[in-house]
Amino acid sequence: MRWPVRLALMIPLILSAATALAVDRGQFGDVPEHIRKWFKDARSPAGVPCCDVSDGHRTDYDVRQGAYWVPIQGTWWLVPEKAVIRTGGNPTGGAVVWYVTLRGNIEITCFVPADGS
């Protein structure tokens, strides 16, 4: 099997494995329903689900030369433009970043700035 086909078959497995790492042990029970729905409905500009409230991380951010940067595990990471959500607002009042760690590397899948634009 050629590598592009293998890669295409592996992407759903990788995404489902990353989703499986999210755990809600009741720590999000006090999250209002409209915010919970916003997290569940959040999608990257490519249409990929960002996941859920337990997967998003409130974060600080900086804008450098027109690009967003966020601190993750003590290091500032460039937010890829394909991950920036500019629609749907942001009811949390703070920036939110969704990311996965793959082979020791951080991959930012979604980001919403504090003002949601």
Side-chain angles (χ1 to χ4, degrees):
M1 201 179 312
R2 296 183 153 284
W3 72 268
V5 174
R6 287 183 188 163
L7 180 62
L9 293 174
M10 289 176 54
I11 288 174
L13 295 173
I14 292 169
L15 291 175
S16 65
T19 302
L21 297 176
V23 178
D24 183 351
R25 295 188 178 101
Q27 71 269 36
F28 304 107
D30 61 344
V31 174
E33 188 56 39
H34 74 284
I35 292 179
R36 188 179 299 274
K37 181 176 179 352
W38 177 80
F39 272 97
K40 288 181 188 225
D41 293 345
R43 303 246 186 279
S44 74
V48 177
C50 297
C51 290
D52 207 341
V53 66
S54 58
D55 303 307
H57 304 270
R58 298 277 305 258
T59 188
D60 292 325
Y61 67 96
D62 192 14
V63 179
R64 303 176 190 171
Q65 297 177 333
Y68 291 106
W69 288 76
V70 295
I72 300 173
Q73 300 174 357
T75 302
W76 284 87
W77 294 82
L78 171 65
V79 177
E81 185 61 32
K82 68 180 183 178
V84 179
I85 301 171
R86 300 182 190 283
T87 59
N90 181 348
T92 69
V96 180
V97 64
W98 289 261
Y99 64 89
V100 294
T101 304
L102 298 171
R103 296 188 192 135
N105 193 34
I106 300 290
E107 182 177 327
I108 297 171
T109 55
C110 296
F111 171 75
V112 179
D115 63 2
S117 63

